[in-house]
Amino acid sequence: MTARSGISIFFAALFGLPVANGGPGAEQAATANGANTVIKISRAPLTTAEISPFQYGQFMEYLCDLVPSMWAEKLYDGSFEGLSPYKVAFLGPRDFRENPWYPSGAVNRAEYALDRTEPVSGSVAQRIAAKDGAPCTVGISQDGIALEGGKACLFSCYLRQRALNGPVLVRLHHVDKVYASCEFQPGAAWKKYQAKLVPSATDTRATLSISFRGPAVLWLDNASLMPEETVGGWRPDVVAALRDLKPGVIRFGGSTLDDANLGDFEWKDTVGDPDRRKPFRAWGGLQPTGPGLEEFIQLCRRVDAEPLICVRFSRRTPRDAADQVQYFNGAADTPMGALRARNGHPEPYRVKYWQIGNERAGKDYEAELASFCQAMKQVDPSIKLLSSYPTAGVLRAAGQWLDYVCPHHYDIADLKGADNDLARVAGLIRMHQPGRDIRIAVTEWNTTGGDWGLRRARLWTLENALACSRYHNLLHRHADKVEIANRSNLTNSFCSGVIRTDNHRLYKTPTYYAQQLYATHAGTRPLKIEAAASVAPGIDVSATLSARGDRLILFVVNDTLSAQARTLDLSDFGEEGRNVAVWTLTDRKGAGEPDVTNSFGDPERVSPVSRELKTTAAGFDYRFPALSLTVLECPVR
């Protein structure tokens, strides 16, 4: 027995993995769960359209700790605007909370105030006054900072002072153990001070303290502690995980960008010098000023994804939307392009995909949509325009300008309901814009968008990964209609993020691994499957062919508590046997529970296991494990 065959048998025993015809266990596979069902894969295409890589898109928005969890900044509330509670909750007291600033030193001798008279950015600066009298040392501190020994961080802060005779001391420490420190001697006017701090040890719960010796008054604004090693300001581990997802397209939108009840978001506040940007809150959470829309586009480019930007509709005009397009796409000699150039980016970003409004509908939206479209297209005729919710009124009013209409699907566990909605939207397009090739972009989707509280935990489970896999199979079958789909959300976000981070590490949820299998293995051509049972409770199959026609890739979801046996008939592709590559996503512990998930303690409990399967004929039996996604990649002529 070879080492490879020994490993394969070990995994087969561990997970109940299948064995090909003629091998040990074949008879058991053929009879498990009653009579076997033949699934014949046809060479005939299901549609003339190809499966777009944009079907595996992702979604980011300003929501609580989503963007902060991706950004490399180690300090919270560097602008001293004050933290605020989120508007939603999962576990309540156990939910993530940002670490606040707090007074430190001889606090009984100091007065702390938020000064509105001359902030660097935002509405306030931090003022600390050490009272007259005997000398005393006072300052502010923030806990919970992750440091890696020998890895440099760049500290910066705007400072000014009155009557200060000594230096301002900055320390990274744990109680009295100092890991790194620096000193500044500020003057009477605001100035940015910077220093490199190299921690002498690793600590995930360090403290940063800024102190001075009074009597004196010190003002602080825009404090920052960034690792020297970032990817344009983003966390390298998050960027690597995102790149491995191969998302195709990433949408930046969400309620904060276009909901009058959540504030008056202005995209111009997110560009230009980060030190001068206006801080804002999203779903209660204070957002860092560093990751703005330009940084989002740069992130997309780094992971080989197209950016899709949602422009604000509520309380905005067509001119506002046109200015935004011109800022990102216009030449440097246009008014907004010149502003971009002054901000350090003379070359246009050439953003192709633009959605007008987030979750907008109704008479006001229908009445103004065409004007937005025309104004944006006038600036850049090459862009692709996406509507918000698809309605008959939207298509009648602006269909001649639109390239996509965009439903949101937040109950995709109801696969039939999602299927019906895609058919409904396609019917609206045919009825109200006949002859136009308007496609569907599901710019947000998941099994739920709400269910706040304990029920939200379903989003990080194996069950959720299998529901999302069935939805991907559905999207394959609707490749002629659906080109773009953005799963919600990318990181953290009270369980919905497929990437889970804390201050120094991450793990990936079962849904992450499911989407990664689709994005990295799926072919471009959906094929017909000659079996009524290929889409049914228990088994859901998608068959795809690679662009070169040399690989057949099957995605099989078994979301039941029992193994499901099927005979796979590949005779349309030749009668010979094949060496089949197999990936199985299921619970490695085999608990038989749909709600299992990954964690920092067990980050790969639900993650793909690969093996090879040698078949002796075009038809072979396969036993799909309970609660699993199986990917079979077969070479074909």
Side-chain angles (χ1 to χ4, degrees):
M1 178 186 295
T2 65
R4 179 179 293 275
S5 64
I7 292 172
S8 296
I9 290 174
F10 168 75
F11 282 125
L14 183 61
F15 299 118
L17 293 178
V19 182
N21 259 353
E27 181 180 352
Q28 177 186 359
T31 58
N33 292 304
N36 201 1
T37 300
V38 176
I39 298 177
K40 183 175 182 180
I41 311 301
S42 171
R43 185 180 285 276
L46 185 62
T47 76
T48 57
E50 292 191 346
I51 299 169
S52 169
F54 289 4
Q55 283 194 358
Y56 315 115
Q58 299 296 328
F59 172 47
M60 293 170 56
E61 63 176 315
Y62 292 120
L63 181 148
C64 303
D65 71 327
L66 195 166
V67 172
S69 72
M70 302 174 62
W71 193 242
E73 175 62 61
K74 292 182 177 294
L75 295 179
Y76 296 105
D77 190 19
S79 58
F80 302 98
E81 300 295 308
L83 300 174
S84 55
Y86 298 153
K87 298 178 182 295
V88 292
F90 167 43
L91 295 176
R94 293 286 295 169
D95 286 342
F96 167 80
R97 295 287 186 275
E98 295 93 340
N99 295 301
W101 294 103
Y102 60 89
S104 56
V107 297
N108 56 302
R109 294 284 308 282
E111 294 179 346
Y112 294 82
L114 297 178
D115 193 339
R116 297 179 177 274
T117 57
E118 196 184 338
V120 176
S121 67
S123 56
V124 299
Q126 177 69 62
R127 178 181 183 273
I128 307 173
K131 299 178 182 178
D132 293 340
C136 62
T137 299
V138 299
I140 56 172
S141 298
Q142 188 173 127
D143 296 333
I145 297 170
L147 304 174
E148 187 174 349
K151 292 293 184 71
C153 293
L154 302 177
F155 173 80
S156 64
C157 189
Y158 281 81
L159 301 170
R160 67 184 181 95
Q161 56 84 17
R162 185 176 69 220
L164 179 64
N165 294 318
V168 172
L169 175 63
V170 179
R171 293 178 299 141
L172 286 172
H173 62 101
H174 192 133
V175 191
D176 293 330
K177 183 177 181 180
V178 178
Y179 300 125
S181 64
C182 63
E183 292 183 349
F184 304 119
Q185 187 65 61
W190 282 118
K191 181 181 176 181
K192 185 175 182 177
Y193 295 85
Q194 303 177 80
K196 181 185 294 188
L197 299 176
V198 183
S200 59
T202 296
D203 190 338
T204 61
R205 289 290 178 264
T207 298
L208 181 134
S209 294
I210 306 172
S211 62
F212 65 96
R213 193 167 188 259
V217 181
L218 180 69
W219 286 264
L220 311 89
D221 208 351
N222 290 351
S224 171
L225 183 68
M226 287 285 281
E228 190 173 48
E229 296 179 6
T230 71
V231 182
W234 301 96
R235 286 177 50 160
D237 57 345
V238 173
V239 174
L242 177 56
R243 183 183 296 111
D244 289 345
L245 265 179
K246 298 188 181 300
V249 62
I250 305 174
R251 175 183 183 249
F252 202 98
S255 298
T256 298
L257 269 68
D258 198 22
D259 190 331
N261 296 321
L262 295 175
D264 196 26
F265 173 84
E266 175 52 63
W267 68 270
K268 294 176 184 176
D269 292 335
T270 76
V271 300
D273 182 358
D275 290 338
R276 304 293 173 176
R277 294 176 186 175
K278 178 181 176 182
F280 64 95
R281 304 180 195 277
W283 290 69
L286 184 69
Q287 303 297 296
T289 57
L293 288 187
E294 288 190 83
E295 287 77 14
F296 161 71
I297 295 170
Q298 293 159 12
L299 172 65
C300 291
R301 304 301 192 208
R302 290 177 184 271
V303 299
D304 298 322
E306 285 290 331
L308 191 169
I309 294 181
C310 184
V311 302
R312 182 166 186 142
F313 176 83
S314 62
R315 296 205 296 247
R316 294 297 184 271
T317 67
R319 182 69 262 165
D320 295 324
D323 285 347
Q324 188 171 354
V325 173
Q326 189 179 82
Y327 181 88
F328 290 104
N329 290 6
D333 59 358
T334 63
M336 297 304 295
L339 175 60
R340 183 195 64 245
R342 289 195 297 273
N343 287 337
H345 301 278
E347 285 298 312
Y349 285 105
R350 298 180 177 88
V351 177
K352 185 176 182 180
Y353 298 92
W354 295 84
Q355 185 172 13
I356 302 171
N358 177 74
E359 297 185 343
R360 299 290 96 187
K363 293 182 179 179
D364 290 344
Y365 183 72
E366 294 170 2
E368 292 292 328
L369 181 57
S371 297
F372 273 73
C373 292
Q374 293 176 63
M376 296 167 72
K377 283 273 194 178
Q378 187 172 5
V379 169
D380 185 352
S382 71
I383 62 175
K384 300 291 186 180
L385 292 179
L386 296 78
S387 77
S388 189
Y389 288 150
T391 64
V394 161
L395 286 161
R396 285 195 299 265
Q400 62 177 311
W401 302 98
L402 294 172
D403 300 285
Y404 303 85
V405 291
C406 305
H408 286 177
H409 286 169
Y410 274 115
D411 189 15
I412 55 95
D414 175 14
L415 201 67
K416 184 62 176 175
D419 194 2
N420 291 340
D421 192 59
L422 293 176
R424 177 191 67 84
V425 175
L428 286 174
I429 295 170
R430 288 194 301 270
M431 179 178 295
H432 299 289
Q433 286 296 328
R436 286 219 66 222
D437 185 24
I438 298 176
R439 308 296 296 278
I440 297 174
V442 187
T443 48
E444 294 182 32
W445 67 268
N446 209 322
T447 52
T448 180
D451 278 343
W452 300 107
L454 300 181
R455 285 177 55 84
R456 197 164 174 83
R458 67 186 289 197
L459 288 165
W460 60 26
T461 64
L462 172 59
E463 178 184 43
N464 195 77
L466 299 180
C468 290
S469 298
R470 288 174 65 94
Y471 187 70
H472 277 300
N473 287 353
L474 176 68
L475 295 179
H476 286 177
R477 294 189 282 273
H478 286 289
D480 59 331
K481 305 179 186 70
V482 183
E483 184 174 311
I484 296 172
N486 306 93
R487 199 206 59 83
S488 170
N489 248 316
L490 185 59
T491 57
N492 291 8
S493 307
F494 298 95
C495 308
S496 70
V498 292
I499 301 171
R500 315 294 306 171
T501 73
D502 64 8
N503 67 351
H504 66 289
R505 57 188 174 169
L506 63 76
Y507 71 88
K508 302 159 185 176
T509 68
T511 302
Y512 173 99
Y513 288 113
Q515 289 204 276
Q516 185 182 39
L517 286 172
Y518 278 90
T520 55
H521 294 288
T524 59
R525 308 175 202 175
L527 301 178
K528 291 181 178 179
I529 301 174
E530 298 177 9
S534 63
V535 183
I539 284 288
D540 188 319
V541 185
S542 172
T544 68
L545 192 64
S546 64
R548 294 178 59 183
D550 59 351
R551 291 180 299 114
L552 172 66
I553 307 98
L554 306 181
F555 294 86
V556 185
V557 183
N558 176 10
D559 58 6
T560 74
L561 300 179
S562 303
Q564 298 284 326
R566 298 290 188 272
T567 295
L568 301 176
D569 182 351
L570 309 185
S571 58
D572 264 19
F573 300 87
E575 295 294 339
E576 71 278 4
R578 295 172 175 84
N579 292 324
V580 181
V582 183
W583 292 266
T584 305
L585 179 69
T586 191
D587 178 15
R588 293 191 178 195
K589 295 184 178 180
E593 299 177 6
D595 298 304
V596 297
T597 187
N598 297 334
S599 64
F600 285 118
D602 195 353
E604 296 185 344
R605 175 172 179 171
V606 182
S607 57
V609 172
S610 62
R611 67 188 290 261
E612 291 181 359
L613 175 67
K614 184 174 180 60
T615 69
T616 58
F620 59 96
D621 298 329
Y622 204 98
R623 182 173 176 265
F624 297 97
L627 298 171
S628 68
L629 165 65
T630 303
V631 182
L632 299 101
E633 186 171 298
C634 316
V636 295
R637 291 180 300 184

